[in-house]
Amino acid sequence: MDAEITLHVDGAEHRLTVDTRTTLLDALREHLEIISPKKGCDHGQCGACTVLLDGRRANSCLALAVAHDGTEIVTAGGLAENGDLHPMQRSFIEHDGFQCGYCTPGQIVSAVGMLEEVRAGWPSHVTEDLNVEEIVLDDDEIRERMSGNLCRCAAYANIVPAIREGSER
Amino acid sequence: MKPYSYQRAEDVDGAVAALVEQPNAKFLAGGTNLVDLMKLGVEEPDALVDVRRLTSDHVEDLDDGGLRIGAAVPNSVLAADRKIRTRYPALSQALLAGASGQLRNLATTGGNLLQRTRCVYWQDVTTPCNKREPGSGCSAIEGHNKNHAILGASEHCVATHPSDMAVAMYALDAFVVVHGPDGERRFPIEELHRLPGDEPQRDTTLEHGELITAVDLPPLDLAANSKYRKVRERASYAFALVSVAAALDVEDGVVRDVRIALGGVAHKPWRATKAEEALRGEPANEANFHAAADIELEDAQPLRDNAFKIPLARNIIARTLLDLSEER
Ligand SMILES: Cc1cc2nc3c(=O)[nH]c(=O)nc-3n(C[C@H](O)[C@H](O)[C@H](O)COP(=O)(O)OP(=O)(O)OC[C@H]3O[C@@H](n4cnc5c(N)ncnc54)[C@H](O)[C@@H]3O)c2cc1C
Ligand code: SF4
Ligand code: FES
Ligand code: FES
């Protein structure tokens, strides 16, 4: 069954007709040819498909496109402003925070969404004091908060410093 | 994936009516479990009724001093809620120990409670499974059953309930608010999930068309001294092997009141009432905590691969209670 929906992606509005079974990830990649979100597992297990939905990071492979009609979506491809890379993107390049690069767009969008959660004072599983006012984003916090993004190349040793520094910019 | 229709109901009554009209329709919330299972061919609804924008996405104060959590509150938002963090910390901790940052943003309170088991045979349509296909047999009983139940299982199904959040809600005496064809009902969360018995296809006591609209947390002083501990195979982003949620009130070294629930051990979050009874009025010390855990686990029946869960459960019950008695 088909449905007509509108998606706002990286600042542009798109009207499209999708089968109700289409995930947001497939709508972006196959219908709109926005390919920075990657398909790793298609089951919520790897984070390669991470995008921001109305400002919050989410796995686009488990979100149905019809259910997110009208949503504001930001992909890694839309993080740059006026041709200037986002600080998190620059930090990943400077720290060589990747090998094959397949997980990278998901890592970067996830890191950007994660920083908003830190700013909002959201605790994590490793936050010592649940009632703390301000989160100190140390490496343990980064690892825990980014555990939803797997890297098959295991570039973690550089991803963690890339995010640490990207968060300070 | 089998084709299905998608609709967004106008309101709660409309969503309930839509399901009543369509026997093979399902509610859709965040989709993080349902869409996954539809891709695997395990769930095959004809129609999805999207309820994510229908129920409340707020945590509100109740007149009795408790809190009402709307069914659409995302897991991430609930974990970060200030009142939950201070008054019911075990619930925040349980949520933060589950899934990933991305998934918690999509996952809802209602959907989390009703997520299905992670039994690998249930998720694999090529293997027999009584939960998926009643009467076909249980592949796990004689198969790989490291993640399966040690308590309350039946010869028909040994699956476990995977939710972390629900375990904390069981320990915190939560109530579930449901809207159905016959109106609203509110009942203790322990009555939501079922043991498998001879109907493992039924995870819960809900009837078709019943929509969870909220979860109520009653005012519970000892909940402020509560904790969730989860043991898993990697440090993050993995389901529990065994977990425990506990709340403890100790006065002059004696247990005044206590709540204990276990995850990863049964077809539903397991409220450890026997251990609780054994502890009330007794000195709060490690020996008594271990003894109470032993009483609860007396009936445990391990399978080929999961006998480790018995000492694990015993140790984390005692460790968590010990932590809680020291923190006071
Ligand atoms: C890779 C991965 C790792 C995970 N790890 C963990 C973990 O460690 N711990 C953990 O606890 N969970 C974990 N989860 C599961 C996750 O918590 C659940 O998928 C999520 O909570 C389900 O919520 P949802 O809103 O997405 O539900 P949906 O998928 O939309 O729905 C789930 C079920 O609930 C029904 N439903 C939804 N809302 C209602 C309602 N209001 N009333 C009645 N019925 C309703 C649906 O019909 C469906 O049957 C993991 C999931 C994935 C994919
Ligand atoms: S344990 Fe339950 S869910 Fe798993 S195969 Fe057996 S019947 Fe199916
Ligand atoms: S492709 Fe979505 S989490 Fe792996
Ligand atoms: S860089 Fe190759 S998967 Fe991460």
Side-chain angles (χ1 to χ4, degrees), chain B residues 255-295:
Chain B
V255 176
R256 274 220 324 203
D257 205 0
V258 60
R259 300 282 186 283
I260 307 167
L262 298 171
V265 297
H267 197 254
K268 58 183 289 184
W270 189 266
R271 180 72 181 260
T273 42
K274 288 184 195 164
E276 291 176 9
E277 271 163 38
L279 281 171
R280 283 192 192 99
E282 297 298 318
N285 59 41
E286 192 169 355
N288 282 340
F289 295 153
H290 270 129
D294 284 339
I295 291 172

Side-chain angles (χ1 to χ4, degrees), chain A residues 50-87:
Chain A
T50 304
V51 297
L52 304 182
L53 293 184
D54 290 330
R56 286 193 185 142
R57 56 183 174 151
N59 311 71
S60 60
C61 69
L62 293 183
L64 291 177
V66 272
H68 293 271
D69 183 16
T71 304
E72 284 291 339
I73 299 163
V74 175
T75 74
L79 286 174
E81 272 183 43
N82 308 319
D84 289 334
L85 289 182
H86 187 282

Side-chain angles (χ1 to χ4, degrees), chain A residues 1 20-23 42-47 50 53 56-64 66-69 71 106 110 117 120-125 129-133 143-145 147-150, chain B residues 1-6 8 28 30-33 35-36 38-40 48 50 52-53 74 76-77 79-80 82 85-86 89 92-93 96-97 99-106 118 232 234-237:
Chain A
M1 265 178 217
T20 50
R21 289 172 290 183
T22 312
T23 61
D42 216 20
H43 287 282
Q45 297 173 359
C46 76
T50 304
L53 293 184
R56 286 193 185 142
R57 56 183 174 151
N59 311 71
S60 60
C61 69
L62 293 183
L64 291 177
V66 272
H68 293 271
D69 183 16
T71 304
S110 181
E117 296 167 4
W122 288 11
S124 85
H125 172 65
D129 174 9
L130 209 51
N131 291 304
V132 69
E133 285 299 323
R143 287 192 193 96
E144 165 58 27
R145 288 169 191 266
S147 71
N149 291 85
L150 304 190
Chain B
M1 204 189 285
K2 216 179 84 183
Y4 55 82
S5 67
Y6 169 89
R8 210 175 277 161
L28 171 75
T32 59
N33 189 225
V35 173
D36 197 3
M38 285 162 63
K39 288 183 184 188
L40 294 168
L48 289 185
D50 195 339
R52 193 171 49 102
R53 298 182 216 199
S76 55
V77 171
R82 287 278 169 194
R85 285 199 241 174
T86 47
S92 278
Q93 290 167 351
L96 293 171
S100 67
Q102 291 96 310
L103 286 163
R104 291 193 293 271
N105 280 335
L106 283 171
R118 306 305 285 200
R232 43 187 158 172
R234 58 184 187 197
S236 187
Y237 203 15

Side-chain angles (χ1 to χ4, degrees), chain B:
Chain B
M1 204 189 285
K2 216 179 84 183
Y4 55 82
S5 67
Y6 169 89
Q7 68 194 88
R8 210 175 277 161
E10 291 285 309
D11 51 26
V12 166
D13 288 337
V16 170
L19 247 70
V20 171
E21 280 162 23
Q22 306 170 89
N24 198 23
K26 293 214 74 150
F27 294 129
L28 171 75
T32 59
N33 189 225
L34 184 53
V35 173
D36 197 3
L37 292 171
M38 285 162 63
K39 288 183 184 188
L40 294 168
V42 174
E43 301 258 28
E44 296 192 303
D46 297 331
L48 289 185
V49 178
D50 195 339
V51 296
R52 193 171 49 102
R53 298 182 216 199
L54 283 190
T55 53
S56 159
D57 60 359
H58 282 85
V59 180
E60 287 156 36
D61 288 305
L62 288 171
D63 289 341
D64 67 1
L67 295 177
R68 170 159 291 187
I69 303 162
V73 177
N75 289 178
S76 55
V77 171
L78 186 57
D81 186 277
R82 287 278 169 194
K83 289 175 186 161
I84 300 286
R85 285 199 241 174
T86 47
R87 284 154 60 185
Y88 306 93
L91 178 54
S92 278
Q93 290 167 351
L95 286 156
L96 293 171
S100 67
Q102 291 96 310
L103 286 163
R104 291 193 293 271
N105 280 335
L106 283 171
T108 63
T109 307
N112 191 318
L113 280 180
L114 298 187
Q115 61 175 299
R116 314 292 311 264
T117 184
R118 306 305 285 200
C119 170
V120 290
Y121 302 105
W122 141 263
Q123 294 189 337
D124 175 356
V125 294
T126 65
T127 57
C129 166
N130 287 327
K131 187 181 280 299
R132 200 168 9 80
E133 232 174 278
S136 63
C138 170
S139 301
I141 288 181
E142 302 283 323
H144 296 284
N145 46 34
K146 184 183 65 184
N147 296 316
H148 290 72
I150 52 170
L151 288 164
S154 75
E155 55 179 320
H156 304 289
C157 178
V158 291
T160 54
H161 195 270
S163 170
D164 292 298
M165 179 193 81
V167 177
M169 287 177 171
Y170 270 63
L172 298 171
D173 290 341
F175 286 79
V176 182
V177 185
V178 166
H179 270 78
D182 303 322
E184 185 180 291
R185 59 191 188 104
R186 183 178 179 276
F187 53 88
I189 195 165
E190 273 177 74
E191 294 168 17
L192 176 63
H193 303 97
R194 302 177 62 251
L195 290 177
D198 54 11
E199 278 186 303
Q201 68 276 21
R202 287 180 59 212
D203 286 2
T204 71
T205 57
L206 295 183
E207 299 295 335
H208 181 73
E210 284 193 309
L211 178 74
I212 297 178
T213 53
V215 173
D216 290 350
L217 297 177
L220 187 68
D221 285 340
L222 73 158
N225 188 43
S226 68
K227 194 176 180 107
Y228 188 72
R229 184 186 292 265
K230 174 177 179 178
V231 179
R232 43 187 158 172
E233 287 185 311
R234 58 184 187 197
S236 187
Y237 203 15
F239 286 92
L241 289 167
V242 180
S243 68
V244 59
L248 182 66
D249 180 4
V250 176
E251 201 179 57
D252 301 328
V254 171
V255 176
R256 274 220 324 203
D257 205 0
V258 60
R259 300 282 186 283
I260 307 167
L262 298 171
V265 297
H267 197 254
K268 58 183 289 184
W270 189 266
R271 180 72 181 260
T273 42
K274 288 184 195 164
E276 291 176 9
E277 271 163 38
L279 281 171
R280 283 192 192 99
E282 297 298 318
N285 59 41
E286 192 169 355
N288 282 340
F289 295 153
H290 270 129
D294 284 339
I295 291 172
E296 191 65 47
L297 294 162
E298 228 168 43
D299 302 331
Q301 287 194 334
L303 301 160
R304 188 191 71 193
D305 302 333
N306 70 2
F308 71 93
K309 285 190 177 183
I310 298 173
L312 189 53
R314 175 179 194 264
N315 290 340
I316 64 169
I317 291 171
R319 182 72 243 171
T320 306
L321 292 173
L322 209 55
D323 287 351
L324 287 171
S325 51
E326 282 161 5
E327 276 163 26
R328 255 288 141 101

